[in-house]
mmCIF file of all heavy atoms in Angstrom:
data_model
loop_
_atom_site.group_PDB
_atom_site.id
_atom_site.type_symbol
_atom_site.label_atom_id
_atom_site.label_comp_id
_atom_site.label_asym_id
_atom_site.label_seq_id
_atom_site.Cartn_x
_atom_site.Cartn_y
_atom_site.Cartn_z
ATOM 1 N N ILE Q 29 84.491 131.768 -47.204
ATOM 2 C CA ILE Q 29 84.676 130.642 -46.287
ATOM 3 C C ILE Q 29 84.467 129.359 -47.073
ATOM 4 O O ILE Q 29 83.433 129.192 -47.707
ATOM 5 C CB ILE Q 29 83.685 130.708 -45.117
ATOM 6 C CG1 ILE Q 29 83.929 131.979 -44.306
ATOM 7 C CG2 ILE Q 29 83.784 129.470 -44.244
ATOM 8 C CD1 ILE Q 29 82.932 132.208 -43.198
ATOM 9 N N ILE Q 107 76.363 127.793 -30.555
ATOM 10 C CA ILE Q 107 76.861 128.733 -31.558
ATOM 11 C C ILE Q 107 76.763 130.160 -31.029
ATOM 12 O O ILE Q 107 77.700 130.946 -31.135
ATOM 13 C CB ILE Q 107 76.096 128.571 -32.887
ATOM 14 C CG1 ILE Q 107 76.490 127.245 -33.547
ATOM 15 C CG2 ILE Q 107 76.368 129.748 -33.824
ATOM 16 C CD1 ILE Q 107 75.607 126.850 -34.704
ATOM 17 N N ALA Q 109 76.598 131.073 -27.876
ATOM 18 C CA ALA Q 109 77.421 131.234 -26.671
ATOM 19 C C ALA Q 109 78.912 131.318 -26.982
ATOM 20 O O ALA Q 109 79.644 132.053 -26.315
ATOM 21 C CB ALA Q 109 77.156 130.092 -25.699
ATOM 22 N N LEU Q 110 79.376 130.576 -27.967
ATOM 23 C CA LEU Q 110 80.817 130.458 -28.174
ATOM 24 C C LEU Q 110 81.310 130.930 -29.539
ATOM 25 O O LEU Q 110 82.478 130.723 -29.869
ATOM 26 C CB LEU Q 110 81.254 129.005 -27.947
ATOM 27 C CG LEU Q 110 81.056 128.493 -26.528
ATOM 28 C CD1 LEU Q 110 81.385 127.011 -26.439
ATOM 29 C CD2 LEU Q 110 81.890 129.275 -25.544
ATOM 30 N N ASP Q 111 80.468 131.578 -30.325
ATOM 31 C CA ASP Q 111 80.927 132.097 -31.615
ATOM 32 C C ASP Q 111 82.063 133.093 -31.375
ATOM 33 O O ASP Q 111 81.953 133.996 -30.547
ATOM 34 C CB ASP Q 111 79.771 132.787 -32.338
ATOM 35 C CG ASP Q 111 80.161 133.198 -33.748
ATOM 36 O OD1 ASP Q 111 81.014 132.526 -34.357
ATOM 37 O OD2 ASP Q 111 79.615 134.200 -34.232
ATOM 38 N N ARG Q 112 83.161 132.874 -32.058
ATOM 39 C CA ARG Q 112 84.373 133.706 -31.951
ATOM 40 C C ARG Q 112 85.076 133.586 -30.605
ATOM 41 O O ARG Q 112 85.885 134.423 -30.244
ATOM 42 C CB ARG Q 112 84.052 135.176 -32.240
ATOM 43 C CG ARG Q 112 83.283 135.373 -33.523
ATOM 44 C CD ARG Q 112 84.028 136.220 -34.481
ATOM 45 N NE ARG Q 112 83.192 136.453 -35.645
ATOM 46 C CZ ARG Q 112 83.494 135.988 -36.844
ATOM 47 N NH1 ARG Q 112 84.563 135.278 -37.027
ATOM 48 N NH2 ARG Q 112 82.705 136.228 -37.860
ATOM 49 N N TYR Q 113 84.775 132.537 -29.844
ATOM 50 C CA TYR Q 113 85.440 132.291 -28.554
ATOM 51 C C TYR Q 113 86.909 132.016 -28.790
ATOM 52 O O TYR Q 113 87.296 131.300 -29.693
ATOM 53 C CB TYR Q 113 84.796 131.081 -27.863
ATOM 54 C CG TYR Q 113 85.472 130.658 -26.599
ATOM 55 C CD1 TYR Q 113 85.163 131.261 -25.396
ATOM 56 C CD2 TYR Q 113 86.420 129.633 -26.603
ATOM 57 C CE1 TYR Q 113 85.777 130.874 -24.215
ATOM 58 C CE2 TYR Q 113 87.028 129.240 -25.432
ATOM 59 C CZ TYR Q 113 86.706 129.856 -24.250
ATOM 60 O OH TYR Q 113 87.317 129.468 -23.076
ATOM 61 N N VAL Q 114 87.740 132.609 -27.953
ATOM 62 C CA VAL Q 114 89.190 132.392 -28.036
ATOM 63 C C VAL Q 114 89.675 131.963 -26.663
ATOM 64 O O VAL Q 114 89.382 132.603 -25.655
ATOM 65 C CB VAL Q 114 89.931 133.680 -28.461
ATOM 66 C CG1 VAL Q 114 91.429 133.459 -28.449
ATOM 67 C CG2 VAL Q 114 89.461 134.139 -29.825
ATOM 68 N N SER Q 115 90.409 130.865 -26.631
ATOM 69 C CA SER Q 115 90.970 130.369 -25.380
ATOM 70 C C SER Q 115 92.486 130.586 -25.402
ATOM 71 O O SER Q 115 93.146 130.322 -26.388
ATOM 72 C CB SER Q 115 90.677 128.881 -25.228
ATOM 73 O OG SER Q 115 91.354 128.371 -24.106
#
Side-chain angles (χ1 to χ4, degrees):
I29 298 175
I107 289 168
L110 296 174
D111 187 30
R112 310 240 184 246
Y113 175 85
V114 176
S115 173

